Amino acid sequence: MCGIVGILGKDDVAAPIVEALRRLEYRGYDSAGVATIDKGEIARRRAAGKLNVLREKLAREPLAGRAGLGHTRWATHGAPIDENAHPHATDRVSIVHNGIIENFRELRDKLAAKGRNFQSATDSEVIAQLITAYIDEEGASPIDAFRRMLSRIRGAFAIAAIFAGEDDLILAARQGSPLAIGRGDGEMFIGSDAFALAPFTNRVTYLDEGDHAVVTRQGFEVFDSGGAPAQRREIVSSVSDAMVDKDGHRHFMAKEIHEQPEVVGHTLARFVDPTAAALRDFGAGFDFRKLDRLIVSACGTAYYAGLIAKYWFETWARLPVEIDIASELRYRDIPYPKKGGAVFVSQSGETADTLAALREAKAHGQRIGAVVNVAESSIAREADDIFQINAGPEIGVASTKAFTCQLVALASLAIKAGAERGVLSKDDQTALVAALLETPRLIAEALQQEKAIEKIAADLSKARDILYIGRGVSFPIALEGALKLKEISYIHAEGYAAGELKHGPIALIDEHVPVVVVAPSDRHYEKTISNMHEIIARGGRPLLISDKRGIKEAGDVWAAIEAPETHPLLSPLVYAVPVQLLAYFAATAKGTDVDQPRNLAKSVTVE
Ligand code: M6R
């Protein structure tokens, strides 16, 4: 999963390509590279590591050329070293690729047997070698060679290619990975998303699945999967060209945690009318009265948001929810109900597993709702109903503000379902909406514990293993807390349902294993506190996150973080904050790269 960009410009393109790559670094940052056509020949600069390393290389060894490609990589096949960095090239063609070529081994073996000399350990290089073989051995034109290459490869990809001797040509294709074409004035651009294109143009056309395009400075032609010319709509993208900055914070993650009162408020405004304390008519196409169950699916943090929503739909709407991780759901042989409904949750809207699960559900006749942050994403475009959140660009790899905003959208949807199914009275609805409207203030209150959390996190950062426990809606918060901690601090952490501890994980408890106990004063409080005492009795170190009352009643604990009192079922919106801050400060205490942790990428567009 990588970011790709291509420019047919009026002047040298290396610098604008690097600027576009900066906006695509969220898709991977193992290596980066640029290739251009300079005096008819392919020239390249590539560097392992983050974009800055490439930038420095380009400063030492500048690259001329008005036609070029760029790539930022998240390694799948082949280590993150210079040789495996894109663009890959022969003397005929240079290519960038996002995705995975599933049959690359077979193709590589055949090409190698014919004497083709592979320079990298990647699956992607086979694209360049195949094109070159068609040109060299069969006299194919670039377009013909590109099309024949496409007919040979299997997998998910977005590809762009430039050719030696062709200063006015980019060929591009999409199959499973997003690709957009941007129209300039006598210039043309391609990129993995509209965000990459935003500094250059807002006139954007997305390729459909199976499309390929022939791009020149004067325009472009699109061909569908059958090779027939196709019309694709040009939109005026609303994506801003302003590159978000850290706003005085040390990391994007810190900024994004602090933005939550505001963006949760913005998202609420989309779903709720604050004056009437009622839901807006936000037009969910589901007929909730007719649904027997609702399918919910997502990955990572978005999945935990869905898991919390399960409690809401079941309590407020008496609507059973079947929730699964998208990478599992997509391959399950589910007996889908006739005219059922499915909701997919994704910040980026590009997560490959979530998109594939969505398509599977759609193919089985389900009505598709999508909770997304990026309005022009693939998931948003393929859904029947979009429940857009207003989190704004989330740059930190660890998802924070998108999570709380997803919860707002899902809570609103669950209340709507409860109203339509006649489970929630008008008064119930008003009370829930009023409680939802309080969450921005409560999140702001939770943020005031930052200094205290920083101190506790400094201690926590010395642990090798940490457990998180919670019950009911606090169980997904335990899972989310553990995910957040491990992904940015590299401390091993696991979340458990508090009641599950005694069925195995309690064997891990000793004085070296802190346990974060998420226990607001709700109907599960006493049971969770009993589990906490079982931990204390075994020499464990509990860190209790609760409200004032909960902390007071709990007795002696190793440490406590106070959170404001909340509506019992809406506590995840507020308790997300302390677990985010704990992870953040544990990571800063350890000195890890908080915004771009090792081995990860913001948008996961491969399986
Ligand atoms: O863009 P999405 O919401 O679909 O992404 C899903 C996960 O990849 C994402 O939440 C991931 O788990 C985050 N790194 C968690 O902080």
Side-chain angles (χ1 to χ4, degrees), residues 2-20:
C2 312
I4 68 178
V5 58
I7 302 182
L8 294 172
K10 292 176 183 159
D11 303 309
D12 284 346
V13 290
I17 284 176
V18 170
E19 165 62 13

Side-chain angles (χ1 to χ4, degrees), residues 292-309:
D292 297 329
R293 64 180 158 139
L294 183 68
I295 292 170
V296 177
S297 190
C299 299
T301 289
Y303 168 73
Y304 298 142
L307 203 53
I308 291 165

Side-chain angles (χ1 to χ4, degrees), residues 298-304 345-352 354 379 394 396-400 402 406 480 483-484 487 600-604:
C299 299
T301 289
Y303 168 73
Y304 298 142
V345 189
S346 175
Q347 186 285 128
S348 61
E350 299 295 351
T351 300
T354 312
I379 289 177
E394 193 181 64
V397 161
S399 188
T400 52
Q406 285 159 354
E480 168 63 0
L483 173 62
K484 225 59 331 153
E487 74 177 320
L600 293 174
K602 183 70 183 157
S603 180
V604 185

Side-chain angles (χ1 to χ4, degrees), residues 228-291:
Q231 292 300 321
R232 302 288 176 238
R233 199 163 57 92
E234 181 172 287
I235 59 159
V236 177
S237 168
S238 56
V239 175
S240 151
D241 73 335
M243 185 72 192
V244 266
D245 67 16
K246 293 184 193 138
D247 218 4
H249 292 274
R250 240 176 101 193
H251 299 100
F252 281 110
M253 183 181 178
K255 177 190 173 215
E256 288 158 7
I257 290 173
H258 282 269
E259 277 176 341
Q260 288 178 106
E262 192 184 346
V263 295
V264 163
H266 291 162
T267 304
L268 266 170
R270 189 179 271 270
F271 295 98
V272 161
D273 174 355
T275 328
L279 288 183
R280 289 189 196 284
D281 183 13
F282 54 83
F286 300 114
D287 186 346
F288 282 115
R289 288 164 309 172
K290 292 200 180 134
L291 290 186

Side-chain angles (χ1 to χ4, degrees), residues 76-87:
T76 58
H77 297 59
I81 53 174
D82 284 8
E83 292 72 26
N84 291 333
H86 297 223

Side-chain angles (χ1 to χ4, degrees), residues 73-127:
R73 176 170 190 240
W74 186 77
T76 58
H77 297 59
I81 53 174
D82 284 8
E83 292 72 26
N84 291 333
H86 297 223
H88 292 287
T90 65
D91 55 351
R92 296 287 190 189
V93 64
S94 180
I95 65 100
V96 285
H97 165 226
N98 168 29
I100 290 175
I101 306 300
E102 288 168 6
N103 58 338
F104 84 97
R105 277 190 194 83
E106 170 203 327
L107 294 169
R108 190 187 54 193
D109 291 350
K110 281 188 188 152
L111 288 159
K114 286 205 289 179
R116 295 269 148 215
N117 186 11
F118 280 77
Q119 312 285 327
S120 77
T122 65
D123 55 334
S124 312
E125 193 187 347
V126 80
I127 298 167

Side-chain angles (χ1 to χ4, degrees), residues 325-381:
I325 294 160
S327 55
E328 289 297 314
L329 189 99
R330 63 184 289 188
Y331 291 118
R332 275 173 53 199
D333 195 7
I334 300 180
Y336 284 98
K338 274 211 172 86
K339 297 195 172 165
V343 173
F344 295 87
V345 189
S346 175
Q347 186 285 128
S348 61
E350 299 295 351
T351 300
D353 285 318
T354 312
L355 183 58
L358 178 157
R359 288 179 179 156
E360 187 66 17
K362 200 170 186 177
H364 285 86
Q366 309 299 290
R367 185 162 184 105
I368 306 295
V371 176
V372 287
N373 190 31
V374 181
E376 289 160 16
S377 59
S378 303
I379 289 177
R381 282 182 285 123

